[in-house]
Amino acid sequence: MLVLGIETTCDETAAAVVRLSDETKGDILSNEVMSQIAEHAAYGGVVPEIAARAHLDVLDRLVDRALERAHVTLADLDGIAAAAGPGLIGGVMVGLTFGKALALAARKPFIAVNHLEAHALTARLTDGIAFPYMLLLVSGGHTQLIAVRGVGDYLRLGSTVDDAIGEAFDKVAKMLGLPYPGGPQVEKAAQDGNPTRFDLPRPMLGRPKPDFSLSGLKTAIRLEAERIAPLTKEDVADLCASFQAAIVDTIIDRSRAGLRLFREQVGASNAMVVAGGVAANGAIRRALMRFCGETGLRLVLPPPALCTDNGAMIAWAGLERLNLGLVDDMTFAARPRWPLDANGEAAHHGKA
């Protein structure tokens, strides 16, 4: 089974071809990604109109390259999948419309993929893990703890009530004058900093419900920076290290609460999976390794290239759905918001 996947939900244009290698794992035959960092750097963040136009400019060439490098044609495919949300509506519409047009032209099944489900299922592509498992999804737009019980079957255990973790990294970087994208810059500066210099809050620490809150921590960084301004290079490094340490402590505490809730409501977890761009952060990865060692969980961390937005995860999610006979028609609309669980948006104030 071969599926082409298209991803255009934010500032990466991506196309990939994935093949089902056995009953549980897949082979990535091609995975083409074109980043738009240079286009958005001057603005310190993603500009939706610029992103949509950039997707439109390169998507046809990227799909051609993905097919060529996979040594397949449209006729060889069993299905075509495109991310239909959540994300920036203009970009989502570009990829969704393109995917529908290809499916119509090639007379292939079309699968509209939830971008969050694609992150949730990536560990099955790379490691073939069985359901159920606990997912920590941490990216620029999403921070969630999810019980993954099956394809299309998700229970949100907790999420952020304000900022996403990746968003907080980017905003702190901007406060401290670091270049865009901010997350990797904060991590890099933190390597030379003192993580104990500033006594920062650990929001939600110890609460039984595994939700996150980042706005208070972000404000604390701003107040400390204003108090000691003008900032030296050492000050910036220490602020970054202290911020990152607070994030790590928060993630581990919230994951512990999430695991308790998972075991109460679902049962034993086959693994803890971490996905999303923030999962590339080395300090967070090391802390989660220690946490899983203590709790007896298997930790599954997809390669960094599969943690950020990419076409392979869309293709794999489409393949999993196609394998169950779950296909969509051409009326499927783009969704700027699309929670994995049916009650998620109402229960968590619309925050992801």
Side-chain angles (χ1 to χ4, degrees), residues 60-75:
D60 55 347
R61 286 173 284 152
L62 214 59
V63 167
D64 284 344
R65 192 188 306 167
L67 293 170
E68 182 181 346
R69 293 192 175 174
H71 304 293
V72 300
T73 67
L74 283 176

Side-chain angles (χ1 to χ4, degrees), residues 81-348:
L88 302 175
I89 189 65
V92 173
M93 289 176 68
V94 170
L96 184 62
T97 303
F98 194 92
K100 288 178 182 178
L102 280 183
L104 275 172
R107 298 184 179 182
K108 300 293 181 180
F110 174 72
I111 309 101
V113 170
N114 185 318
H115 176 92
L116 303 182
E117 181 168 49
H119 277 305
L121 298 176
T122 297
R124 288 174 52 79
L125 163 64
T126 58
D127 292 75
I129 63 173
F131 301 118
Y133 52 87
M134 186 170 79
L135 169 71
L136 171 64
L137 176 57
V138 279
S139 69
H142 307 283
T143 297
Q144 300 179 6
L145 280 162
I146 299 168
V148 182
R149 298 179 293 199
V151 176
D153 185 8
Y154 305 96
L155 172 66
R156 193 189 310 205
L157 305 169
S159 66
T160 180
V161 297
D162 40 60
D163 292 352
I165 288 178
E167 180 184 2
F169 266 96
D170 287 342
K171 287 181 177 177
V172 164
K174 195 169 185 178
M175 279 182 217
L176 301 179
L178 296 174
Y180 173 85
Q185 299 296 330
V186 171
E187 181 183 9
K188 182 179 178 181
Q191 293 172 358
D192 299 320
N194 175 6
T196 64
R197 177 178 168 188
F198 298 99
D199 185 17
L200 299 176
R202 270 63 171 166
M204 301 285 194
L205 211 69
R207 296 194 184 185
K209 185 167 173 53
D211 284 334
F212 296 77
S213 175
L214 284 302
S215 61
L217 175 57
K218 185 182 63 181
T219 299
I221 285 284
R222 178 177 59 80
L223 293 174
E224 291 287 359
E226 290 173 351
R227 181 178 63 84
I228 61 173
L231 300 177
T232 64
K233 185 176 180 180
E234 182 181 358
D235 293 331
V236 170
D238 291 347
L239 284 164
C240 288
S242 299
F243 169 75
Q244 185 171 264
I247 290 287
V248 166
D249 289 347
T250 299
I251 285 175
I252 297 305
D253 180 79
R254 303 292 74 212
S255 296
R256 187 171 287 111
L259 181 59
R260 284 195 296 267
L261 192 59
F262 186 104
R263 287 170 172 168
E264 289 172 8
Q265 298 194 8
V266 181
S269 175
N270 286 314
M272 179 173 184
V273 174
V274 188
V278 181
N281 181 285
I284 292 173
R285 291 170 83 95
R286 290 189 294 274
L288 286 167
M289 287 176 189
R290 292 192 296 271
F291 169 72
C292 287
E294 294 166 4
T295 55
L297 279 177
R298 176 187 175 188
L299 177 64
V300 179
L301 286 159
L306 296 181
C307 288
T308 53
D309 295 349
N310 64 92
M313 70 178 191
I314 303 299
W316 175 254
L319 194 153
E320 290 246 45
R321 295 185 70 80
L322 182 61
N323 209 23
L324 296 173
L326 302 173
V327 298
D328 299 286
D329 61 31
M330 297 302 147
T331 65
F332 199 99
R335 300 183 181 182
R337 300 200 66 82
W338 190 3
L340 274 180
D341 57 318
N343 299 319
E345 195 155 355
H348 292 269

Side-chain angles (χ1 to χ4, degrees), residues 26-56:
D27 291 327
I28 300 172
L29 303 185
S30 63
N31 191 22
E32 302 299 312
V33 180
M34 188 167 292
S35 174
Q36 300 174 11
I37 287 176
E39 287 88 339
H40 301 286
Y43 305 96
V46 179
V47 181
E49 293 82 0
I50 292 175
R53 290 193 189 104
H55 292 312
L56 196 59

